[in-house]
């Protein structure tokens, strides 16, 4: 039916949901995907805040603006990789996303566009965003609009699942990066130990301090309040959190002397690094294939509202010490160094 799908994404919660749906659709029809990001030219105007930031804080500008494309696209790519879908990523600087999307459709020969819409314009009785509407009108191939934010029947639940999946993708990008390091070390190739340390440090900081505690304190807890059916699974996932944190700390300590370590210790480190990365990916798979569907079936709207507040931007004050934005910037630096 379709062989090459273009999936525009902008890193929002809705686009994270769309990436998931696009991957599922591509697997159903046997198509490959190109994920596309229209990168705004933030420095085009000297009056723009981004242009000022570029002048006075170039490192921050790189993390907040110029590195955004790779950050977003790398997470989309791991979604496809996890499902065994062939994919490529592409970005283009443009202040008119719809025009860039239409150009890329022609250049790549895509036969379907799979995209989301935030609203609010009406087209055939459906509320669509202006960029989506322009693509829908201008494209010479079919455009599949996966979701309309205004009509979402379960906004709290979808906000939580989209946030969790986005955070899972960040963790998965780093886990795949660790596997790359493992192969390089096995083959005695030169590696960037500082980047490896940053990746391990990110996993110690973000999942351990923010992601896992919120899962346990809110999603897992609410699920256990509604049913005991998944208690053994939740206990196993919590055990994996603890064991993963302990092994991660060992890897962080050992990497400090890896450059001068004897061959036997290097082999042991490489084996453990590969195993650790694989366990992170397996853990994500368990949560998305088993916990999320279970929660969708069992939790009530009022439960999702409580969980959504904890996972939202303001979040739970207990986790305020480490901000989501701070973690996003750290991930952006890692994604752009790989």
């Amino acid at each position: 039916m379709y062989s090459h799908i273009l999936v525009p994404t902008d890193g929002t919660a809705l686009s994270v949901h769309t990436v998931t749906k696009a991957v599922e659709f591509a697997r159903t029809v046997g198509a490959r995907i190109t994920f596309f990001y229209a990168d705004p030219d933030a420095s085009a105007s000297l009056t723009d805040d981004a242009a000022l930031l570029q002048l006075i804080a170039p490192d921050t500008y790189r993390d907040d603006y110029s590195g955004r494309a790779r950050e977003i696209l790398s997470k989309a790519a791991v979604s496809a990789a996890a499902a065994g879908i062939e994919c490529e990523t592409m970005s283009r600087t443009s202040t008119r996303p719809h025009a860039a999307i239409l150009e890329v459709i022609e250049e790549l020969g895509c036969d379907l566009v799979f995209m989301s819409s935030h609203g609010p314009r009406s087209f055939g009785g459906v509320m669509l965003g202006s960029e989506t509407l322009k693509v829908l009108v201008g494209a010479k191939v079919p455009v599949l609009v996966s979701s309309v934010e205004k009509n979402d029947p379960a906004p709290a639940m979808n906000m939580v699942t989209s946030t969790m999946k986005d955070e899972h993708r960040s963790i998965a990008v780093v886990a795949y990066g660790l596997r790359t390091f493992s192969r390089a070390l096995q083959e005695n190739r030169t590696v960037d130990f500082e980047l490896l340390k940053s990746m391990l440090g990110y996993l110690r900081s973000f999942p351990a301090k923010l992601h896992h505690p919120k899962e346990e304190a809110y999603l897992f807890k609410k699920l256990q309040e509604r049913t005991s059916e998944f208690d053994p699974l939740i206990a196993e996932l919590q055990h994996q959190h603890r064991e993963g944190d302990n092994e991660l700390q060992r890897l962080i300590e050992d990497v400090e002397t890896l450059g001068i370590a004897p061959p036997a210790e290097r082999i042991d480190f490489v084996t453990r690094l590969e195993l650790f990365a694989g366990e992170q990916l397996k853990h994500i798979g368990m949560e998305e294939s088993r916990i999320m569907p279970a929660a969708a079936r069992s939790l009530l709207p009022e439960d999702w509202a409580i969980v959504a507040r904890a996972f939202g931007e303001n979040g739970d004050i207990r986790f305020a010490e480490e901000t989501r934005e701070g973690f996003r910037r750290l991930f952006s630096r890692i994604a752009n160094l790989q």
Side-chain angles (χ1 to χ4, degrees), residues 92-310:
R92 179 164 295 174
T93 300
S94 176
T95 56
R96 300 169 64 234
H98 73 278
I101 292 168
L102 294 174
E103 289 174 0
V104 171
I105 293 170
E106 293 289 333
E107 290 177 19
L108 301 183
C110 299
D111 49 18
L112 177 72
V113 182
F114 195 114
M115 63 190 302
S116 57
S117 174
H118 299 271
R121 297 189 180 183
S122 178
F123 184 79
V126 179
M127 300 301 290
L128 298 174
S130 60
E131 296 299 327
T132 303
L133 181 58
K134 290 173 183 176
V135 172
L136 191 62
V137 171
K140 298 178 182 178
V141 300
V143 179
L144 181 57
V145 182
S146 67
S147 173
V148 180
E149 199 170 51
K150 185 177 180 180
N151 298 329
D152 189 347
M157 180 183 75
N158 287 328
M159 176 270 179
V160 172
T161 56
S162 291
T163 299
M164 285 186 65
K165 286 181 178 181
D166 186 60
E167 293 178 355
H168 283 168
R169 301 302 173 259
S170 297
I171 297 168
V173 168
V174 177
Y176 278 114
L178 294 181
R179 282 183 160 180
T180 300
F181 271 103
S182 176
R183 288 191 294 270
L185 289 167
Q186 284 177 334
E187 297 167 3
N188 291 317
R189 288 186 276 121
T190 302
V191 300
D192 184 343
F193 282 105
E194 291 306 313
L195 175 57
L196 176 56
K197 292 176 186 178
S198 294
M199 295 168 78
L200 293 172
Y202 173 81
L203 293 177
R204 178 176 61 182
S205 298
F206 176 57
K209 292 184 180 179
L210 184 69
H211 181 75
H212 293 160
K214 282 190 177 182
E215 286 181 334
E216 294 185 6
Y218 290 95
L219 186 63
F220 292 1
K221 182 180 178 182
K222 283 297 176 185
L223 184 56
Q224 288 180 304
E225 288 176 0
R226 294 299 174 188
T227 175
S228 61
E229 179 183 354
F230 302 99
D231 285 358
L233 175 59
I234 290 174
E236 173 59 24
L237 292 170
Q238 291 175 322
H239 175 71
Q240 290 176 8
H241 287 171
R242 305 290 92 76
E243 289 296 305
D245 290 346
N246 291 336
E247 177 57 21
L248 181 58
Q249 184 58 40
R250 288 182 59 208
L251 290 169
I252 289 172
E253 292 171 357
D254 293 346
V255 76
E256 292 294 337
T257 58
L258 189 62
I260 58 173
E265 290 184 14
R266 288 174 65 93
I267 292 172
D268 177 68
F269 179 89
V270 168
T271 302
R272 287 164 44 217
L273 185 66
E274 178 74 23
L275 179 61
F276 173 79
E279 289 298 321
Q280 298 303 300
L281 296 172
K282 186 187 301 183
H283 180 86
I284 289 171
M286 289 177 64
E287 290 188 343
E288 294 194 3
S289 66
R290 301 180 66 184
I291 286 292
M292 287 186 184
R297 293 192 303 270
S298 305
L299 268 58
L300 302 179
E302 54 264 36
D303 299 326
W304 284 115
I306 292 171
V307 180
R309 282 196 295 271

